[in-house]
Amino acid sequence: GERWGILTITNQSSGRREFKAKHIMALFADGSRYSPINFKQPFNGNETQSITLNFGENKFPILSVYTRN
């Protein structure tokens, strides 16, 4: 089925940044890793946002979602 994740993310920089799909990965129960589908979100400095992301169709559940700095 469809796999979705909800993330709360904080821009720890004082400047404006754009958070993109390539910055996020989901680990699935079969060991595969995928980025969300078509995601791009602007963040102001020190801003926190909760976002819902679509990781597409997969028969395995998401075990974890992680970001890179």
Side-chain angles (χ1 to χ4, degrees), residues 24-47:
I24 306 168
M25 295 293 285
L27 172 64
F28 288 81
D30 68 344
S32 63
R33 291 173 167 79
Y34 294 102
S35 290
I37 298 172
N38 298 327
F39 169 74
K40 184 172 25 171
Q41 181 71 33
F43 278 79
N44 292 322
N46 300 310
E47 180 181 17

Side-chain angles (χ1 to χ4, degrees), residues 5-55:
I6 299 173
L7 282 78
T8 300
I9 302 170
T10 301
N11 175 8
Q12 295 178 337
S13 169
S14 60
R16 185 173 173 87
R17 299 287 185 260
E18 188 170 81
F19 200 61
K20 299 179 183 177
K22 68 180 183 180
H23 298 124
I24 306 168
M25 295 293 285
L27 172 64
F28 288 81
D30 68 344
S32 63
R33 291 173 167 79
Y34 294 102
S35 290
I37 298 172
N38 298 327
F39 169 74
K40 184 172 25 171
Q41 181 71 33
F43 278 79
N44 292 322
N46 300 310
E47 180 181 17
T48 298
Q49 292 184 21
S50 289
I51 50 177
T52 302
L53 301 174
N54 181 356
F55 289 93

